[in-house]
Amino acid sequence: MMSGRSLSLLALLLVLVAAGSCRGTSDEPQEILLTRELVTIGDDQVGLSMLGQVFPQAWVSEPVKLRGDYTLEFFPIVRGTDESAHFRVLVRMGRIDQDIAFVEATRESEISQSVSHLASPVEIDLAPFRGKTIEVIFFLEAPAGDRKGVVGLPRLRPRSTDVEDRSHDVLMICTDTLRWDTSIGEAGGRLMPVLHSLPGDVVTYTRAFSAASWTMPSITTALTGLYPRYHGTGERTYSESTDPPPGHFTFETGLGKPTFLSSYPSELESLAEKLLEAGYSTRLVAGNPLYFPSGLARDGFEIAVHAKVLRGPVISRHAKDLIMSADPERPLFLLVHYMDPHEWGRLFSRRFGPRSRPIDNREGARQAYEEVVMRSDQALGVLLGDWGRHRGGDPLIVFWSDHGEHLSEERLFGHGNSMKETLLKVPLVISYPPGLLGRAAEADRPISLADLTPTVLDAVGVDYDPSSLSGKSLLRSAVSGARYHFADYQLYSRELASVRRGDHKLVIDLDSGQTKLWQVTRDGHETRVEDAEIERELYDAYQDYRAAALEARQHLSPPEDVDQEEALEALRALGYVE
């Protein structure tokens, strides 16, 4: 799966395959996972989680009937020894065991040094067993001692279909903390020339809005098609106790009541999960570490590289590994999340000193921010070049940002602390495969990042229930009508929400109940206005949305427990906590 390039010691590779099947009708052979247990190998430097099975001597799969020609794929790994070891693989039919392979196992210690040792899975042709009901038996042959075998990602894959029938690949690129004015606005052409020269039939959506002012709720909305109150990810919860509630991790305990953030409900179905079920290879390079403690990286991604908060060239290098190792016979969904603009404050401190404040040096702050924006554009160019050389084709390319950044507007800096256009108005650029551009919605209509999931599904021909999503496909004419767009969940300060329709935005202080109505222009300027009728309409729309979301979430159980140490490390890496 990975190329020969060694990943950084900071990297964490996560392999997760949800219960999926290959594209096609129910009469066609379907991909079969032999286990849905999740195992972790490696060490604290380079870890790997994948669907698999750990056993001391032997493991026997559940019986399965082969309704076509299949290939057995798995990663043979040995734990607890640095000596050579092997797996003997047999197929059991009734009382008959047939020896089919003897393969060398990869030592866990080698994976800790470089995940390139998992370059490709073992493949065994099972065509002779077509039509038979079989069990697969794995025997570990290794020196005596406390050693165990790990069968990683064991699956039965139908023999390949014609590559020419493959669905369009999907390349999604999220650049964290990227302002719209420095990307698609006035300064965009100067700072991001690569973005402005995307190949294919390109639409730049000039009035796209995030559903939150910080990452966790925003990317969850983009990758589920649900507004924040429907998915609940990143919602602040307060308690008298310092122990986090189930499915939450600690954010703040030093000021006032302890504060916790909610993680992703695994019962929801993400875009990655839907594409995995449609036969896609689903892969993630996550520069933002919050994908992991939130649980979002575990929902449908076959492979996810935890690159932490690293610079663009490193992220692009990991993405290249995943591109080059992808199966050419399966459509590929790759999400790459860059972090360069998020780190402008650290560049500012290095350049002007740790005691220098951006509020006292606004020109320096702007210069530092623009420099990291240019870095992210250069990394984008590397990514697109690697894709063209090693993957090619006519992919659907979706470029966006999760939120913007305050750089001194009204003495505000950072994000997660307002419902201003500076944070909510974001770049969105889509390069459509041939033949789809004529269906695309108008570029200057207000749209939401919630529209990304249905748009991608429509573009690649994957069925879904439009009524189950908040977002609307940009390839369907109905999106052109006036709609309400919602934003929720602050990271800092008071709990604010907003609802917009057309050129008006209502900001609601949920702590005090106070409201402010703003008229917004296409270039992001906002002016306070008084209009009781519009204010009442928007306020009622928000309350209806909030009530409907609360009812919809009643069937969701609390998200799974969160690794508190991992969450704290992620928040520290992002500079959100000390």
Side-chain angles (χ1 to χ4, degrees):
M1 288 187 177
M2 301 294 291
S3 75
R5 187 184 302 276
S6 173
L7 296 185
S8 161
L9 293 180
L10 293 175
L12 170 66
L13 182 70
L14 174 73
V15 177
L16 182 64
V17 179
S21 60
C22 295
R23 282 186 306 118
T25 67
S26 58
D27 294 332
E28 296 177 349
Q30 306 292 300
E31 183 174 287
I32 302 169
L33 298 176
L34 296 183
T35 181
R36 295 197 172 106
E37 295 291 327
L38 188 65
V39 299
T40 301
I41 62 175
D43 57 20
D44 293 337
Q45 294 179 335
V46 178
L48 176 76
S49 295
M50 58 167 58
L51 288 182
Q53 197 75 35
V54 181
F55 58 93
Q57 184 174 4
W59 175 60
V60 183
S61 74
E62 293 293 325
V64 59
K65 184 168 184 177
L66 303 183
R67 302 181 185 276
D69 292 337
Y70 279 86
T71 298
L72 169 65
E73 291 185 357
F74 67 97
F75 291 98
I77 303 163
V78 62
R79 170 181 293 171
T81 180
D82 286 330
E83 299 183 47
S84 62
H86 294 79
F87 277 28
R88 187 175 299 278
V89 186
L90 300 91
V91 165
R92 174 173 292 171
M93 295 177 293
R95 298 182 179 180
I96 301 174
D97 293 347
Q98 181 173 334
D99 199 324
I100 60 172
F102 186 72
V103 298
E104 185 175 3
T106 300
R107 293 185 291 273
E108 186 176 30
S109 58
E110 293 179 300
I111 300 170
S112 298
Q113 298 170 14
S114 172
V115 295
S116 65
H117 289 285
L118 297 178
S120 59
V122 170
E123 297 183 355
I124 303 173
D125 184 12
L126 297 183
F129 305 99
R130 179 187 177 112
K132 306 293 185 180
T133 297
I134 69 168
E135 298 167 277
V136 183
I137 307 173
F138 300 89
F139 278 104
L140 173 65
E141 297 190 3
D146 185 18
R147 77 288 183 277
K148 294 182 180 180
V150 180
V151 180
L153 204 60
R155 62 180 178 176
L156 303 180
R157 181 172 57 84
R159 296 291 288 271
S160 302
T161 56
D162 191 342
V163 178
E164 296 302 319
D165 293 336
R166 194 184 73 195
S167 298
H168 285 293
D169 291 334
V170 179
L171 174 60
M172 297 189 78
I173 305 132
C174 179
T175 297
D176 207 294
T177 320
L178 181 61
R179 292 166 59 110
W180 71 273
D181 59 336
T182 60
S183 51
I184 63 173
E186 181 178 354
R190 172 175 59 88
L191 300 176
M192 301 197 72
V194 174
L195 176 62
H196 284 255
S197 59
L198 283 182
D201 295 332
V202 178
V203 178
T204 299
Y205 293 94
T206 57
R207 301 180 72 191
F209 298 97
S210 176
S213 63
W214 69 288
T215 300
M216 266 180 58
S218 176
I219 59 175
T220 305
T221 288
L223 297 178
T224 62
L226 300 173
Y227 281 122
R229 291 199 174 272
Y230 280 97
H231 60 68
T233 308
E235 182 177 16
R236 289 189 296 189
T237 300
Y238 305 94
S239 174
E240 297 293 341
S241 170
T242 57
D243 295 328
H248 291 69
F249 55 91
T250 303
F251 174 59
E252 175 64 66
T253 59
L255 299 174
K257 293 182 178 180
T259 305
F260 309 96
L261 298 172
S262 61
S263 58
Y264 175 78
S266 59
E267 295 163 289
L268 296 178
E269 190 175 26
S270 69
L271 173 62
E273 193 172 357
K274 288 181 170 72
L275 292 177
L276 181 66
E277 292 172 354
Y280 275 75
S281 175
T282 54
R283 303 180 169 208
L284 165 69
V285 182
N288 192 311
L290 287 175
Y291 279 87
F292 291 84
S294 71
L296 190 58
R298 296 191 292 271
D299 193 27
F301 285 104
E302 211 174 41
I303 301 176
V305 177
H306 186 178
K308 298 194 176 180
V309 186
L310 300 177
R311 292 178 61 174
V314 182
I315 302 298
S316 294
R317 188 163 64 246
H318 293 333
K320 178 183 177 181
D321 287 340
L322 297 189
I323 293 168
M324 293 181 65
S325 63
D327 186 344
E329 296 181 351
R330 294 177 66 192
L332 173 62
F333 168 55
L334 175 62
L335 170 59
V336 182
H337 193 118
Y338 290 102
M339 288 297 291
D340 297 81
H342 190 281
E343 299 304 287
W344 72 270
R346 296 180 184 182
L347 175 61
F348 177 89
S349 295
R350 290 197 301 270
R351 182 164 296 169
F352 299 104
R355 295 186 178 181
S356 180
R357 300 191 311 162
I359 194 69
D360 300 324
N361 186 359
R362 298 181 181 182
E363 182 178 351
R366 181 78 183 197
Q367 289 174 352
Y369 181 80
E370 289 190 352
E371 183 171 327
V372 292
V373 169
M374 289 188 286
R375 288 180 188 173
S376 70
D377 190 64
Q378 293 166 1
L380 173 62
V382 173
L383 171 64
L384 295 175
D386 288 335
W387 183 285
R389 284 186 292 273
H390 303 294
R391 189 72 183 182
D394 297 306
L396 174 71
I397 302 176
V398 182
F399 178 96
W400 89 98
S401 180
D402 50 353
H403 54 78
E405 181 80 342
H406 285 302
L407 291 176
S408 75
E409 301 85 2
E410 300 183 37
R411 300 184 66 82
L412 291 172
F413 281 91
H415 51 268
N417 53 0
S418 85
M419 285 286 159
K420 297 289 187 180
E421 296 296 272
T422 305
L423 299 187
L424 298 183
K425 184 176 171 65
V426 293
L428 173 60
V429 183
I430 300 180
S431 174
Y432 289 99
L436 292 180
L437 186 61
R439 295 168 51 195
E442 295 180 33
D444 64 347
R445 294 276 184 175
I447 59 174
S448 169
L449 294 185
D451 300 333
L452 294 188
T453 285
T455 300
V456 170
L457 295 174
D458 256 358
V460 300
V462 173
D463 291 335
Y464 67 98
D465 178 7
S467 66
S468 67
L469 303 180
S470 307
K472 306 298 180 185
S473 170
L474 301 178
L475 295 175
R476 300 191 181 194
S477 58
V479 79
S480 297
R483 301 159 56 204
Y484 296 109
H485 297 293
F486 304 98
D488 265 299
Y489 297 164
Q490 295 286 81
L491 185 61
Y492 304 108
S493 188
R494 303 182 67 83
E495 194 61 63
L496 303 179
S498 72
V499 51
R500 72 176 69 233
R501 185 174 185 268
D503 296 331
H504 289 91
K505 176 181 68 175
L506 183 69
V507 177
I508 306 170
D509 186 327
L510 298 176
D511 293 329
S512 67
Q514 294 181 341
T515 60
K516 292 182 179 180
L517 181 65
W518 302 85
Q519 186 166 19
V520 295
T521 63
R522 283 168 169 75
D523 59 3
H525 289 94
E526 46 193 325
T527 305
R528 181 78 184 275
V529 295
E530 301 287 342
D531 190 314
E533 184 177 350
I534 294 178
E535 185 167 338
R536 172 52 60 181
E537 174 198 346
L538 294 177
Y539 183 84
D540 289 346
Y542 179 81
Q543 295 301 332
D544 289 344
Y545 146 70
R546 190 178 184 182
L550 179 63
E551 182 178 355
R553 284 172 58 187
Q554 293 301 312
H555 74 282
L556 296 179
S557 57
E560 61 185 68
D561 288 337
V562 179
D563 185 328
Q564 297 298 319
E565 289 297 325
E566 182 183 42
L568 180 59
E569 181 183 351
L571 292 170
R572 283 174 175 164
L574 293 166
Y576 292 161
V577 299
E578 297 296 330

